[in-house]
Amino acid sequence: AINGGGGDDDACWRLGRRALRALLRKKAVLDLVEGKLNAACRAIAGALWDLGAVRPPPVAKKITKDADPADVVDREKRRAQMRGATAKSLKGRLPDEEKLNALLEALQYANVGFVSMIGVQGGGAVYLLEPEKARDHVRTETVRAYVAERHDADAARLHRVLAERRHLDQADLAERALLPPKEARARLYALHDAGLARTVELPRTPDRPGGAVQLWAADAAAARLVVLADVRRALSKLLERRAAEALQLTKRGRPGAGVDLFDDPADGAPRKPDEAAAYEDAVARVDRLPPAVPQ
């Protein structure tokens, strides 16, 4: 908290972290709706959000040390007070009311499923916005783009089949991904080494002799952790490079002079134009550096 002034009665101000998080969450969902559909669907999603017709995030059964107890209480309260909105309640909030029902159907039956119909009230359907489905879609698309970038399109297709079908044997997986068995095997082991796929061994039934059956699977949570770790490594290298560049700039005056730009000239004379430009560039780079590299 920050005190507003010098008196004892001054108010203390504190950043509304939960409100900021909710605002960013709303913007991310609305941007996704507009990107996948159109601006009219974004207006409907925004109206549903403003009316409170939003399904809250699930409440964790076990509160971890990183969870904010206030967030958990807030989610439970919102889930208890969860209510939907009818098409009638949306009228007057949208510029194009004639296509309202058609747009609601587009939101409901899109591949993401932005809106769900949860019941009927007063002869009209009751709708609810689904932010968690939008977040899961963004996560899934991010993982698929990462696999395609780090490996290739065939590996991304294999991973997609694994994520949608759960446990599959190698032959069935290769057939569903439209790949020759040999190529599918090589890509599966590459995904396994990267932590994006895993094997599951199931014992055979007594009436079928032989060893255990090996199946393949992909966990969405594990894949997200792999992507996040790779992003953090890349960000750390980027910040280290920027720090090295800024340090080198501070040691550079005129080309080849080796003058420290943060030291005033010995004779008190103003810096030369090339020194002044390099000095301003160095200060700007240092100011943009964060206090610590994210861990």
Side-chain angles (χ1 to χ4, degrees):
I2 301 176
N3 193 285
D8 295 336
D9 297 333
D10 291 332
C12 293
W13 297 88
R14 183 172 57 186
L15 179 66
R17 182 167 54 87
R18 285 190 295 155
L20 178 61
R21 185 185 303 169
L23 181 63
L24 294 176
R25 184 164 163 255
K26 175 183 177 181
K27 185 180 184 305
V29 171
L30 297 185
D31 288 346
L32 180 62
V33 171
E34 185 174 3
K36 290 291 182 180
L37 298 173
N38 51 45
C41 290
R42 179 193 177 105
I44 294 177
L48 287 171
W49 197 295
D50 295 337
L51 289 172
V54 180
R55 190 184 299 277
V59 180
K61 296 181 179 180
K62 183 178 180 181
I63 301 177
T64 61
K65 62 179 182 179
D66 298 328
D68 187 351
D71 286 343
V72 176
V73 173
D74 183 62
R75 289 183 183 183
E76 291 177 345
K77 182 178 179 181
R78 282 186 292 163
R79 183 167 290 276
Q81 298 176 352
M82 183 179 63
R83 64 184 187 279
T86 61
K88 183 178 180 180
S89 63
L90 292 173
K91 291 183 177 180
R93 293 174 172 264
L94 305 172
D96 191 359
E97 298 179 2
E98 297 179 356
K99 300 180 180 178
L100 178 59
N101 292 329
L103 294 174
L104 282 171
E105 288 186 4
L107 285 166
Q108 186 177 355
Y109 296 109
N111 60 338
V112 181
F114 293 108
V115 171
S116 298
M117 189 179 72
I118 60 173
V120 179
Q121 179 180 351
V126 181
Y127 298 97
L128 200 65
L129 191 64
E130 301 281 359
E132 291 302 305
K133 289 184 178 180
R135 186 179 70 167
D136 291 341
H137 176 78
V138 172
R139 287 176 167 178
T140 302
E141 291 296 317
T142 302
V143 170
R144 289 174 183 171
Y146 172 83
V147 176
E149 176 68 23
R150 292 296 184 183
H151 299 273
D152 55 20
D154 292 337
R157 189 162 63 250
L158 272 173
H159 190 270
R160 179 174 184 173
V161 173
L162 275 177
E164 292 176 351
R165 299 289 179 175
R166 299 291 296 175
H167 301 92
L168 291 172
D169 64 7
Q170 186 171 300
D172 191 11
L173 183 57
E175 182 179 355
R176 291 177 182 272
L178 305 178
L179 287 175
K182 185 176 181 180
E183 294 185 9
R185 185 186 308 113
R187 285 168 173 80
L188 281 172
Y189 281 104
L191 292 174
H192 181 274
D193 293 340
L196 297 167
R198 62 184 178 89
T199 57
V200 179
E201 291 189 355
L202 300 178
R204 292 183 182 271
T205 56
D207 58 336
R208 300 184 64 182
V213 178
Q214 179 175 295
L215 302 179
W216 289 89
D219 293 332
R224 289 197 296 268
L225 289 177
V226 171
V227 175
L228 184 60
D230 191 76
V231 170
R232 285 174 172 170
R233 282 194 297 268
L235 179 60
S236 175
K237 292 180 180 178
L238 176 63
L239 294 177
E240 290 176 359
R241 188 179 70 180
R242 285 175 55 187
E245 290 176 355
L247 180 62
Q248 194 166 9
L249 278 171
T250 62
K251 300 298 183 182
R252 191 189 72 194
R254 294 188 303 273
V259 178
D260 191 338
L261 294 177
F262 288 108
D263 288 341
D264 292 330
D267 55 1
R271 290 186 175 88
K272 295 184 178 181
D274 58 343
E275 294 178 351
Y279 174 79
E280 296 296 333
D281 190 13
V283 171
R285 286 174 177 265
V286 172
D287 289 343
R288 288 199 303 267
L289 291 177
V293 175
Q295 298 298 324

